Amino acid sequence: MPALTLCDGVFEVGSAHDDRHLFDSLMPTTFGTTYNAYVVVGKTATALIDTVDPEKTGVLMRNLAESGTTRVDYVVCLHTEQDHSGSIRAVLERWPDAVLVAAAKVAEFMETHVHIPKARFRIVAEGDVLDLGDRTLRFFPVPFAHWPDNTMAWLEEERILFSNDLFGSHYSTGRIFATVGHDQIQAAKDYYSEIFMPFVTHVRKYLAKSRALSPAMVAPSHGPVWWKPETIFDLYEDWLSDKVKPVVVIPFVTMHGSTAVLVERLASRLAERGVSAVCRDIASEPANLMLETGHMVSDLVDAAALVIASPSVLGDAHPAAVFAAFLASAMKPKVRFFGLIGSFGWGTRIAETMASHTVGLKAERLEPFLVKGLPTDEDLKRLDAYAANLADKVLAASREGAAG
Ligand code: FEO
């Protein structure tokens, strides 16, 4: 990705990482990612906002040169994680007199995570400004979006909000501005699900704060720049709301096909009632359980219910289902209902163990639906009743949401 221009004297000089398929060894990045770094050229000083993952330091340095950046007076650090701080040392080697600027929490974390002494930073707090001559950067810490140290920078004259991870997406593109195609919306939703869904209360406040600024552009640290910020603001409003859609997410794993019979029957009966079932075979990529399970997390952003379907293995659920349960619980989705279905061989404690794996879910719990061996016609009729009850609940919840 070459250096790109946001407006006169404001450049994106970061790097694309097209072939990165997993982030944090956890999150599938179907569309790759970018590490965005921005140069703001003022009359008296130039600031570099964030750097890039250490693997891409060469691209950053090349883009700085290509953008005509011959001086860096300030390196603004909005967040400690190494995908943004990983090239600071290289920048300081090139411009040793550059002043590091960061919120107190970033400086504290930089000492422990990147081994740059806290004393090396000029500390900025809420509302403080950095004067670049004819341009002004104002700082807003946004703790727990998604670390305690995240910070936003606001370029007052051009009304550009450098939002750091907030409003970001793992989407690699050679273009600077969002085209708002389906893939870009999906990438933003995926990113929201794994980074911000556990921090809804905080992020609601930051969304309101960002809207109040009425930015001309939102420039995050990953993915394209939102040149029409209402697009991403409205999406966040929807994802952060209490509204749910008439969707049931069914991550499943099957060993000999019996649990799959239950999943197929449940999905078709839900569909007959107007409820969508998103079924994901979470063990379909055995070399990497993160892939389908990561997609499940994104499915949960606005779904009304989660039903995990699993056979029993040594009394507990299949390990793939345990992983899905752990992740769903940790991500705190707004699902209203949680169910467990599955087939077991000769004995099971799956109802008890899965309850303990999902303590983070604040959903109403349906009675577990478990059958011994291959489901019989009688079992499937009982499952039809389970599906009808679940569909009624889901439809009622999604109507409530629509009214609210
Ligand atoms: Fe993109 Fe929290 O680092």
Side-chain angles (χ1 to χ4, degrees), residues 2 7 90 107 113 124 137 160 168 195 212 232 236 249 258 278 281 288 305 308 326 330 334 348 352 355 359 367:
C7 64
H113 290 69
V124 288
L137 284 169
I160 300 175
I195 300 292
I232 190 67
Y236 267 58
V249 176
S258 297
V278 181
D281 182 353
N288 195 339
I308 296 181
F326 167 82
K334 59 184 172 185
T348 184
E352 294 89 335
V359 286
E367 193 64 31

Side-chain angles (χ1 to χ4, degrees), residues 23-24 33-35 79-84 145-147 149-150 164-165 170 191 195-196 221-222:
F23 207 85
D24 290 343
T33 193
T34 67
Y35 317 109
H79 177 34
T80 308
E81 279 202 285
Q82 288 86 341
D83 49 324
H84 310 297
H146 62 129
W147 271 34
D149 67 333
N150 294 92
N164 189 241
D165 282 335
H170 288 310
Y191 191 86
I195 300 292
F196 297 117
S221 298
H222 297 284

Side-chain angles (χ1 to χ4, degrees), residues 78-93:
L78 298 180
H79 177 34
T80 308
E81 279 202 285
Q82 288 86 341
D83 49 324
H84 310 297
S85 66
S87 306
I88 290 176
R89 287 185 185 286
V91 171
L92 290 178
E93 273 172 31

Side-chain angles (χ1 to χ4, degrees), residues 155-193:
L155 181 57
E156 293 190 337
E157 292 75 11
E158 275 73 27
R159 309 192 68 73
I160 300 175
L161 182 63
F162 298 99
S163 58
N164 189 241
D165 282 335
L166 191 61
F167 308 123
S169 45
H170 288 310
Y171 191 92
S172 177
T173 170
R175 303 170 69 167
I176 184 70
F177 295 114
T179 54
V180 200
H182 172 77
D183 286 354
Q184 289 193 351
I185 302 295
Q186 185 61 49
K189 186 178 183 184
D190 294 347
Y191 191 86
Y192 167 85
S193 71

Side-chain angles (χ1 to χ4, degrees), residues 6 38 88 108 209 212 255 266 312 329 338 351 363 372 383 386:
L6 276 73
Y38 300 95
I88 290 176
E108 177 193 325
K209 188 174 194 128
M255 291 165 73
L266 176 61
S312 294
S329 179
F338 172 65
K372 191 170 184 178
L383 186 59
Y386 178 102

